[in-house]
Amino acid sequence: DQQVKQNSPSLSVQEGRISILNCDYTNSMFDYFLWYKKYPAEGPTFLISISSIKDKNEDGRFTVFLNKSAKHLSLHIVPSQPGDSAVYFCAAASGGSYIPTFGRGTSLIVHP
Amino acid sequence: DSGVTQTPKHLITATGQRVTLRCSPRSGDLSVYWYQQSLDQGLQFLIQYYNGEERAKGNILERFSAQQFPDLHSELNLSSLELGDSALYFCASSVGERGGFTDTQYFGPGTRLTVL
């Protein structure tokens, strides 16, 4: 049973537009959420995180939104750049089970 | 470059065989984590070591084992290999023992294992 779900395997966006990557979770014990970016032939790289006490966290062009009641989070990239083309993994953790549980990833392609 | 190194990059072997994957964490990191990524799957946590001791266990098969040595490098041993063990195996490291929660996990580039 997948506790972290990324239902869109891929997303295609034009350069300069907004990219929105979505993630749903089922375990209400999760209280810390992370996004990782992965380029081919490299390991995942931490991108941004959010604690459950917040509903938004921003870092430059990247913003993560958390809707606890819907058990949903999203990553917004504005403006999108071709270098953002990568696989994005959503992950969730809790104080009791601190090892992050990962989703299957969404492949983002940003077209010039 | 995350500072985490994994060897080998690629490994091709036959069913029933045994292989060893190696990971060197970032300088100063005490925790090492092993993950498996099968085709179209997310990263599945296998096992964590912190300063030489097993700290957490995930969905690791009994045919798999790991250890962390005094110099903090880690090895993942996979035995009696099956076709379904073909996957990318990632190692990650963190400073503390709650990486991913209280401190950042840094991932290596992975070892691609192909079992024929």
Side-chain angles (χ1 to χ4, degrees), chain B residues 52-77:
Chain B
E53 300 290 328
E54 182 183 304
R55 180 67 179 85
K57 216 166 185 177
N59 300 321
I60 188 166
L61 299 172
E62 285 192 14
R63 299 184 286 109
F64 296 1
S65 65
Q67 55 183 329
Q68 186 179 29
F69 295 86
D71 67 352
L72 300 177
H73 91 270
S74 177
E75 292 180 356
L76 179 67
N77 300 297

PDB file of all heavy atoms in Angstrom, chain B residues 52-77:
ATOM      1  N   GLY B  52      28.355   2.752  12.849  1.00  0.00           N
ATOM      2  CA  GLY B  52      28.712   1.347  12.937  1.00  0.00           C
ATOM      3  C   GLY B  52      27.611   0.424  13.438  1.00  0.00           C
ATOM      4  O   GLY B  52      27.752  -0.794  13.366  1.00  0.00           O
ATOM      5  N   GLU B  53      26.515   1.010  13.929  1.00  0.00           N
ATOM      6  CA  GLU B  53      25.450   0.186  14.475  1.00  0.00           C
ATOM      7  C   GLU B  53      24.205   0.261  13.597  1.00  0.00           C
ATOM      8  O   GLU B  53      23.874   1.337  13.087  1.00  0.00           O
ATOM      9  CB  GLU B  53      25.075   0.672  15.896  1.00  0.00           C
ATOM     10  CG  GLU B  53      26.216   0.619  16.900  1.00  0.00           C
ATOM     11  CD  GLU B  53      26.589  -0.796  17.274  1.00  0.00           C
ATOM     12  OE1 GLU B  53      25.691  -1.664  17.287  1.00  0.00           O
ATOM     13  OE2 GLU B  53      27.790  -1.044  17.541  1.00  0.00           O
ATOM     14  N   GLU B  54      23.504  -0.853  13.464  1.00  0.00           N
ATOM     15  CA  GLU B  54      22.248  -0.827  12.729  1.00  0.00           C
ATOM     16  C   GLU B  54      21.262   0.050  13.491  1.00  0.00           C
ATOM     17  O   GLU B  54      21.059  -0.114  14.699  1.00  0.00           O
ATOM     18  CB  GLU B  54      21.700  -2.245  12.597  1.00  0.00           C
ATOM     19  CG  GLU B  54      20.411  -2.326  11.793  1.00  0.00           C
ATOM     20  CD  GLU B  54      19.857  -3.744  11.733  1.00  0.00           C
ATOM     21  OE1 GLU B  54      20.580  -4.656  11.304  1.00  0.00           O
ATOM     22  OE2 GLU B  54      18.692  -3.925  12.149  1.00  0.00           O
ATOM     23  N   ARG B  55      20.619   0.979  12.756  1.00  0.00           N
ATOM     24  CA  ARG B  55      19.756   1.951  13.423  1.00  0.00           C
ATOM     25  C   ARG B  55      18.295   1.766  13.028  1.00  0.00           C
ATOM     26  O   ARG B  55      17.409   1.954  13.854  1.00  0.00           O
ATOM     27  CB  ARG B  55      20.222   3.359  13.077  1.00  0.00           C
ATOM     28  CG  ARG B  55      19.408   4.477  13.704  1.00  0.00           C
ATOM     29  CD  ARG B  55      19.564   4.504  15.199  1.00  0.00           C
ATOM     30  NE  ARG B  55      18.806   5.580  15.792  1.00  0.00           N
ATOM     31  CZ  ARG B  55      17.534   5.510  16.122  1.00  0.00           C
ATOM     32  NH1 ARG B  55      16.847   4.399  15.877  1.00  0.00           N
ATOM     33  NH2 ARG B  55      16.918   6.540  16.683  1.00  0.00           N
ATOM     34  N   ALA B  56      18.041   1.422  11.794  1.00  0.00           N
ATOM     35  CA  ALA B  56      16.658   1.232  11.332  1.00  0.00           C
ATOM     36  C   ALA B  56      16.656   0.231  10.190  1.00  0.00           C
ATOM     37  O   ALA B  56      17.619   0.119   9.438  1.00  0.00           O
ATOM     38  CB  ALA B  56      16.038   2.553  10.882  1.00  0.00           C
ATOM     39  N   LYS B  57      15.561  -0.503  10.112  1.00  0.00           N
ATOM     40  CA  LYS B  57      15.433  -1.530   9.090  1.00  0.00           C
ATOM     41  C   LYS B  57      14.137  -1.314   8.337  1.00  0.00           C
ATOM     42  O   LYS B  57      13.092  -1.074   8.939  1.00  0.00           O
ATOM     43  CB  LYS B  57      15.438  -2.900   9.750  1.00  0.00           C
ATOM     44  CG  LYS B  57      16.115  -3.991   8.986  1.00  0.00           C
ATOM     45  CD  LYS B  57      16.362  -5.196   9.895  1.00  0.00           C
ATOM     46  CE  LYS B  57      17.156  -6.263   9.185  1.00  0.00           C
ATOM     47  NZ  LYS B  57      17.479  -7.401  10.048  1.00  0.00           N
ATOM     48  N   GLY B  58      14.200  -1.430   7.026  1.00  0.00           N
ATOM     49  CA  GLY B  58      13.005  -1.290   6.195  1.00  0.00           C
ATOM     50  C   GLY B  58      12.672  -2.620   5.563  1.00  0.00           C
ATOM     51  O   GLY B  58      12.754  -3.669   6.174  1.00  0.00           O
ATOM     52  N   ASN B  59      12.325  -2.560   4.282  1.00  0.00           N
ATOM     53  CA  ASN B  59      11.902  -3.767   3.571  1.00  0.00           C
ATOM     54  C   ASN B  59      13.087  -4.537   3.012  1.00  0.00           C
ATOM     55  O   ASN B  59      13.154  -4.801   1.814  1.00  0.00           O
ATOM     56  CB  ASN B  59      10.954  -3.388   2.438  1.00  0.00           C
ATOM     57  CG  ASN B  59       9.720  -2.685   2.940  1.00  0.00           C
ATOM     58  OD1 ASN B  59       9.172  -3.047   3.974  1.00  0.00           O
ATOM     59  ND2 ASN B  59       9.294  -1.658   2.227  1.00  0.00           N
ATOM     60  N   ILE B  60      13.990  -4.917   3.866  1.00  0.00           N
ATOM     61  CA  ILE B  60      15.182  -5.621   3.397  1.00  0.00           C
ATOM     62  C   ILE B  60      14.967  -7.123   3.477  1.00  0.00           C
ATOM     63  O   ILE B  60      14.505  -7.642   4.490  1.00  0.00           O
ATOM     64  CB  ILE B  60      16.437  -5.177   4.195  1.00  0.00           C
ATOM     65  CG1 ILE B  60      17.704  -5.768   3.581  1.00  0.00           C
ATOM     66  CG2 ILE B  60      16.312  -5.496   5.681  1.00  0.00           C
ATOM     67  CD1 ILE B  60      18.992  -5.136   4.076  1.00  0.00           C
ATOM     68  N   LEU B  61      15.255  -7.794   2.373  1.00  0.00           N
ATOM     69  CA  LEU B  61      15.090  -9.236   2.317  1.00  0.00           C
ATOM     70  C   LEU B  61      16.147  -9.922   3.184  1.00  0.00           C
ATOM     71  O   LEU B  61      17.227  -9.384   3.424  1.00  0.00           O
ATOM     72  CB  LEU B  61      15.225  -9.716   0.867  1.00  0.00           C
ATOM     73  CG  LEU B  61      14.208  -9.158  -0.137  1.00  0.00           C
ATOM     74  CD1 LEU B  61      14.593  -9.576  -1.553  1.00  0.00           C
ATOM     75  CD2 LEU B  61      12.802  -9.603   0.204  1.00  0.00           C
ATOM     76  N   GLU B  62      15.836 -11.129   3.601  1.00  0.00           N
ATOM     77  CA  GLU B  62      16.796 -11.892   4.414  1.00  0.00           C
ATOM     78  C   GLU B  62      18.045 -12.234   3.618  1.00  0.00           C
ATOM     79  O   GLU B  62      19.116 -12.434   4.194  1.00  0.00           O
ATOM     80  CB  GLU B  62      16.137 -13.170   4.931  1.00  0.00           C
ATOM     81  CG  GLU B  62      15.170 -12.927   6.072  1.00  0.00           C
ATOM     82  CD  GLU B  62      14.753 -14.223   6.758  1.00  0.00           C
ATOM     83  OE1 GLU B  62      15.402 -15.257   6.528  1.00  0.00           O
ATOM     84  OE2 GLU B  62      13.771 -14.185   7.524  1.00  0.00           O
ATOM     85  N   ARG B  63      17.919 -12.283   2.291  1.00  0.00           N
ATOM     86  CA  ARG B  63      19.074 -12.576   1.428  1.00  0.00           C
ATOM     87  C   ARG B  63      20.042 -11.382   1.354  1.00  0.00           C
ATOM     88  O   ARG B  63      21.140 -11.506   0.838  1.00  0.00           O
ATOM     89  CB  ARG B  63      18.599 -12.898   0.004  1.00  0.00           C
ATOM     90  CG  ARG B  63      17.690 -14.095  -0.085  1.00  0.00           C
ATOM     91  CD  ARG B  63      17.338 -14.402  -1.540  1.00  0.00           C
ATOM     92  NE  ARG B  63      16.386 -13.464  -2.115  1.00  0.00           N
ATOM     93  CZ  ARG B  63      16.670 -12.551  -3.031  1.00  0.00           C
ATOM     94  NH1 ARG B  63      17.911 -12.423  -3.488  1.00  0.00           N
ATOM     95  NH2 ARG B  63      15.721 -11.773  -3.529  1.00  0.00           N
ATOM     96  N   PHE B  64      19.603 -10.246   1.846  1.00  0.00           N
ATOM     97  CA  PHE B  64      20.419  -9.043   1.804  1.00  0.00           C
ATOM     98  C   PHE B  64      20.950  -8.747   3.206  1.00  0.00           C
ATOM     99  O   PHE B  64      20.245  -8.948   4.213  1.00  0.00           O
ATOM    100  CB  PHE B  64      19.600  -7.835   1.341  1.00  0.00           C
ATOM    101  CG  PHE B  64      19.075  -7.918  -0.070  1.00  0.00           C
ATOM    102  CD1 PHE B  64      19.302  -9.010  -0.878  1.00  0.00           C
ATOM    103  CD2 PHE B  64      18.332  -6.864  -0.591  1.00  0.00           C
ATOM    104  CE1 PHE B  64      18.813  -9.069  -2.180  1.00  0.00           C
ATOM    105  CE2 PHE B  64      17.841  -6.899  -1.889  1.00  0.00           C
ATOM    106  CZ  PHE B  64      18.077  -8.012  -2.674  1.00  0.00           C
ATOM    107  N   SER B  65      22.147  -8.230   3.270  1.00  0.00           N
ATOM    108  CA  SER B  65      22.709  -7.814   4.558  1.00  0.00           C
ATOM    109  C   SER B  65      23.624  -6.626   4.321  1.00  0.00           C
ATOM    110  O   SER B  65      24.050  -6.360   3.192  1.00  0.00           O
ATOM    111  CB  SER B  65      23.489  -8.960   5.221  1.00  0.00           C
ATOM    112  OG  SER B  65      24.615  -9.291   4.439  1.00  0.00           O
ATOM    113  N   ALA B  66      23.885  -5.907   5.371  1.00  0.00           N
ATOM    114  CA  ALA B  66      24.750  -4.736   5.250  1.00  0.00           C
ATOM    115  C   ALA B  66      25.590  -4.594   6.507  1.00  0.00           C
ATOM    116  O   ALA B  66      25.305  -5.208   7.532  1.00  0.00           O
ATOM    117  CB  ALA B  66      23.922  -3.472   5.019  1.00  0.00           C
ATOM    118  N   GLN B  67      26.613  -3.797   6.406  1.00  0.00           N
ATOM    119  CA  GLN B  67      27.399  -3.442   7.572  1.00  0.00           C
ATOM    120  C   GLN B  67      28.081  -2.108   7.329  1.00  0.00           C
ATOM    121  O   GLN B  67      28.248  -1.679   6.184  1.00  0.00           O
ATOM    122  CB  GLN B  67      28.421  -4.520   7.905  1.00  0.00           C
ATOM    123  CG  GLN B  67      29.356  -4.912   6.781  1.00  0.00           C
ATOM    124  CD  GLN B  67      30.280  -6.049   7.192  1.00  0.00           C
ATOM    125  OE1 GLN B  67      30.662  -6.192   8.359  1.00  0.00           O
ATOM    126  NE2 GLN B  67      30.670  -6.881   6.234  1.00  0.00           N
ATOM    127  N   GLN B  68      28.451  -1.470   8.427  1.00  0.00           N
ATOM    128  CA  GLN B  68      29.204  -0.224   8.351  1.00  0.00           C
ATOM    129  C   GLN B  68      30.501  -0.435   9.126  1.00  0.00           C
ATOM    130  O   GLN B  68      30.482  -0.888  10.271  1.00  0.00           O
ATOM    131  CB  GLN B  68      28.417   0.949   8.943  1.00  0.00           C
ATOM    132  CG  GLN B  68      29.108   2.282   8.762  1.00  0.00           C
ATOM    133  CD  GLN B  68      28.302   3.444   9.337  1.00  0.00           C
ATOM    134  OE1 GLN B  68      27.552   3.289  10.286  1.00  0.00           O
ATOM    135  NE2 GLN B  68      28.477   4.624   8.755  1.00  0.00           N
ATOM    136  N   PHE B  69      31.578  -0.090   8.490  1.00  0.00           N
ATOM    137  CA  PHE B  69      32.900  -0.361   9.038  1.00  0.00           C
ATOM    138  C   PHE B  69      33.394   0.816   9.883  1.00  0.00           C
ATOM    139  O   PHE B  69      32.821   1.904   9.836  1.00  0.00           O
ATOM    140  CB  PHE B  69      33.862  -0.649   7.885  1.00  0.00           C
ATOM    141  CG  PHE B  69      33.513  -1.911   7.145  1.00  0.00           C
ATOM    142  CD1 PHE B  69      32.591  -1.900   6.114  1.00  0.00           C
ATOM    143  CD2 PHE B  69      34.090  -3.126   7.498  1.00  0.00           C
ATOM    144  CE1 PHE B  69      32.249  -3.065   5.427  1.00  0.00           C
ATOM    145  CE2 PHE B  69      33.758  -4.291   6.831  1.00  0.00           C
ATOM    146  CZ  PHE B  69      32.826  -4.256   5.796  1.00  0.00           C
ATOM    147  N   PRO B  70      34.468   0.595  10.668  1.00  0.00           N
ATOM    148  CA  PRO B  70      34.989   1.679  11.522  1.00  0.00           C
ATOM    149  C   PRO B  70      35.321   2.960  10.772  1.00  0.00           C
ATOM    150  O   PRO B  70      35.217   4.052  11.329  1.00  0.00           O
ATOM    151  CB  PRO B  70      36.243   1.061  12.158  1.00  0.00           C
ATOM    152  CG  PRO B  70      35.933  -0.395  12.222  1.00  0.00           C
ATOM    153  CD  PRO B  70      35.150  -0.680  10.955  1.00  0.00           C
ATOM    154  N   ASP B  71      35.711   2.850   9.497  1.00  0.00           N
ATOM    155  CA  ASP B  71      35.985   4.081   8.742  1.00  0.00           C
ATOM    156  C   ASP B  71      34.702   4.688   8.164  1.00  0.00           C
ATOM    157  O   ASP B  71      34.755   5.648   7.411  1.00  0.00           O
ATOM    158  CB  ASP B  71      36.999   3.833   7.628  1.00  0.00           C
ATOM    159  CG  ASP B  71      36.450   2.929   6.529  1.00  0.00           C
ATOM    160  OD1 ASP B  71      35.341   2.369   6.706  1.00  0.00           O
ATOM    161  OD2 ASP B  71      37.130   2.765   5.498  1.00  0.00           O
ATOM    162  N   LEU B  72      33.582   4.122   8.518  1.00  0.00           N
ATOM    163  CA  LEU B  72      32.214   4.573   8.207  1.00  0.00           C
ATOM    164  C   LEU B  72      31.751   4.226   6.803  1.00  0.00           C
ATOM    165  O   LEU B  72      30.577   4.498   6.492  1.00  0.00           O
ATOM    166  CB  LEU B  72      32.043   6.082   8.460  1.00  0.00           C
ATOM    167  CG  LEU B  72      32.292   6.511   9.902  1.00  0.00           C
ATOM    168  CD1 LEU B  72      32.166   8.019  10.033  1.00  0.00           C
ATOM    169  CD2 LEU B  72      31.338   5.810  10.858  1.00  0.00           C
ATOM    170  N   HIS B  73      32.586   3.607   5.983  1.00  0.00           N
ATOM    171  CA  HIS B  73      32.050   3.157   4.710  1.00  0.00           C
ATOM    172  C   HIS B  73      31.135   1.968   4.966  1.00  0.00           C
ATOM    173  O   HIS B  73      31.210   1.308   6.008  1.00  0.00           O
ATOM    174  CB  HIS B  73      33.162   2.840   3.701  1.00  0.00           C
ATOM    175  CG  HIS B  73      33.640   1.422   3.701  1.00  0.00           C
ATOM    176  ND1 HIS B  73      34.676   0.972   4.500  1.00  0.00           N
ATOM    177  CD2 HIS B  73      33.234   0.355   2.976  1.00  0.00           C
ATOM    178  CE1 HIS B  73      34.883  -0.301   4.271  1.00  0.00           C
ATOM    179  NE2 HIS B  73      34.027  -0.714   3.356  1.00  0.00           N
ATOM    180  N   SER B  74      30.259   1.713   4.021  1.00  0.00           N
ATOM    181  CA  SER B  74      29.269   0.659   4.209  1.00  0.00           C
ATOM    182  C   SER B  74      29.253  -0.258   2.996  1.00  0.00           C
ATOM    183  O   SER B  74      29.595   0.151   1.886  1.00  0.00           O
ATOM    184  CB  SER B  74      27.881   1.270   4.411  1.00  0.00           C
ATOM    185  OG  SER B  74      26.886   0.267   4.533  1.00  0.00           O
ATOM    186  N   GLU B  75      28.874  -1.496   3.225  1.00  0.00           N
ATOM    187  CA  GLU B  75      28.724  -2.458   2.147  1.00  0.00           C
ATOM    188  C   GLU B  75      27.344  -3.113   2.260  1.00  0.00           C
ATOM    189  O   GLU B  75      26.886  -3.411   3.363  1.00  0.00           O
ATOM    190  CB  GLU B  75      29.822  -3.519   2.199  1.00  0.00           C
ATOM    191  CG  GLU B  75      31.195  -2.963   1.882  1.00  0.00           C
ATOM    192  CD  GLU B  75      32.303  -4.000   1.920  1.00  0.00           C
ATOM    193  OE1 GLU B  75      32.024  -5.165   2.264  1.00  0.00           O
ATOM    194  OE2 GLU B  75      33.448  -3.632   1.605  1.00  0.00           O
ATOM    195  N   LEU B  76      26.732  -3.294   1.106  1.00  0.00           N
ATOM    196  CA  LEU B  76      25.452  -3.988   1.012  1.00  0.00           C
ATOM    197  C   LEU B  76      25.712  -5.291   0.267  1.00  0.00           C
ATOM    198  O   LEU B  76      26.194  -5.266  -0.860  1.00  0.00           O
ATOM    199  CB  LEU B  76      24.418  -3.135   0.274  1.00  0.00           C
ATOM    200  CG  LEU B  76      23.029  -3.754   0.075  1.00  0.00           C
ATOM    201  CD1 LEU B  76      22.315  -3.914   1.417  1.00  0.00           C
ATOM    202  CD2 LEU B  76      22.191  -2.893  -0.875  1.00  0.00           C
ATOM    203  N   ASN B  77      25.438  -6.400   0.928  1.00  0.00           N
ATOM    204  CA  ASN B  77      25.654  -7.710   0.342  1.00  0.00           C
ATOM    205  C   ASN B  77      24.319  -8.303  -0.104  1.00  0.00           C
ATOM    206  O   ASN B  77      23.366  -8.379   0.677  1.00  0.00           O
ATOM    207  CB  ASN B  77      26.299  -8.651   1.364  1.00  0.00           C
ATOM    208  CG  ASN B  77      27.639  -8.131   1.829  1.00  0.00           C
ATOM    209  OD1 ASN B  77      28.577  -8.003   1.047  1.00  0.00           O
ATOM    210  ND2 ASN B  77      27.746  -7.797   3.110  1.00  0.00           N
TER     211      ASN B  77
END
